Amino acid sequence: MHTSKLLKASDFQYWRLAKRNRTSLDFEAFCPDYHELDRVGVISPCLEDGILYAGDALLALTTAFYDVLRSRTTDFFDYPQHFAFIGASGDTVYTQVEQLPIDQIGIGWGNLDVWPNSKWIATPKRLTGMLRKAFDFQINRLFLPHDFKLGPNEPLLPAYARKMLQTRLKSVYYYNTPTPNLEIRASQQVADLVQKSVAEFPNVKSAIEHRVHSDFPLVGCYQQVSVNDFIKDMTGCFDDS
């Protein structure tokens, strides 16, 4: 699936959430200093997590990527540098309800233009293992679950990884968060694409919120945090000895 022929910037709205108020934002506020070569990473401990909770944001960034290409030429074939770091062990990949053969690691992700299969990265299902992948792949924008915490006896990352992550990251977003400060509203076209991916997981209850009788029925909520605050949140993941 190539969404460049399906979506446009006007398919997305961005809102800042503050107490009970919502303030309209532009794309720059959602994604400061965007560049089409930005490397976007989604930490997905279970195969479907990133699709359920960050699918709309991924498609917004994908559309921005194609907008840049469209501004230069009508003849192109390319995909954004978007990566899914998916919880796996050995020859199996985790879902919320079962484990699947590793060759099914890309289920649902291609619909979001996370493609080809080199963008689906099997990763140990632990916080430091997935942060290491974000470091290894030189990610600039990172999405991860709000409640993904450091477990006991996890191998720590070297201290230099903290400094390099702090340098490379441009923005960080927690998904499935109880304290959102950012809302993305997306059109029916976007909702249909995300739902197509969600339908690949019939045993999982959809976390996607829809607004009935709305031009922007798909609603996704995130906690957008500064890179410095994110690094502080991850303090225990680094070996400072």
Side-chain angles (χ1 to χ4, degrees), residues 10-80:
S10 58
D11 283 308
F12 303 90
Q13 294 181 344
Y14 309 95
W15 298 81
R16 178 68 65 206
L17 307 181
K19 295 184 179 179
R20 296 185 178 180
N21 296 322
R22 285 178 169 83
T23 305
S24 179
L25 303 175
D26 58 15
F27 177 79
E28 173 66 19
F30 160 61
C31 190
D33 191 28
Y34 177 76
H35 192 280
E36 72 272 17
L37 296 182
D38 282 349
R39 298 169 72 85
V40 176
V42 181
I43 288 178
S44 193
C46 291
L47 176 59
E48 66 273 37
D49 290 345
I51 294 170
L52 288 169
Y53 296 106
D56 55 346
L58 266 176
L59 288 174
L61 291 164
T62 299
T63 301
F65 169 80
Y66 288 130
D67 278 346
V68 174
L69 270 58
R70 281 189 285 256
S71 71
R72 298 171 180 165
T73 180
T74 58
D75 183 21
F76 60 84
F77 181 81
D78 203 358
Y79 285 82

Side-chain angles (χ1 to χ4, degrees), residues 46 48 93-100 203:
C46 291
E48 66 273 37
V93 59
Y94 294 98
T95 77
Q96 294 180 13
V97 295
E98 60 185 335
Q99 288 181 255
L100 298 176
N203 296 323

Side-chain angles (χ1 to χ4, degrees), residues 40-176:
V40 176
V42 181
I43 288 178
S44 193
C46 291
L47 176 59
E48 66 273 37
D49 290 345
I51 294 170
L52 288 169
Y53 296 106
D56 55 346
L58 266 176
L59 288 174
L61 291 164
T62 299
T63 301
F65 169 80
Y66 288 130
D67 278 346
V68 174
L69 270 58
R70 281 189 285 256
S71 71
R72 298 171 180 165
T73 180
T74 58
D75 183 21
F76 60 84
F77 181 81
D78 203 358
Y79 285 82
Q81 293 298 303
H82 294 178
F83 300 87
F85 304 122
I86 298 166
S89 178
D91 60 357
T92 62
V93 59
Y94 294 98
T95 77
Q96 294 180 13
V97 295
E98 60 185 335
Q99 288 181 255
L100 298 176
I102 196 69
D103 63 1
Q104 297 189 46
I105 192 171
I107 290 177
W109 288 93
N111 296 323
L112 306 180
D113 275 359
V114 181
W115 193 86
N117 59 2
S118 57
K119 306 287 184 61
W120 313 325
I121 313 302
T123 309
K125 191 182 176 183
R126 56 177 183 258
L127 181 56
T128 57
M130 292 190 158
L131 280 182
R132 180 175 290 278
K133 290 297 185 182
F135 171 77
D136 290 344
F137 280 77
Q138 303 182 48
I139 295 302
N140 305 120
R141 305 190 189 275
L142 187 65
F143 293 81
L144 72 162
H146 184 274
D147 63 353
F148 198 23
K149 305 300 182 185
L150 184 67
N153 302 317
E154 289 195 27
L156 300 183
L157 301 177
Y160 66 77
R162 182 206 336 251
K163 296 179 181 179
M164 295 184 74
L165 280 169
Q166 193 158 16
T167 299
R168 291 171 178 166
L169 286 171
K170 291 183 176 182
S171 53
V172 179
Y173 312 82
Y174 291 124
Y175 65 74
N176 194 19

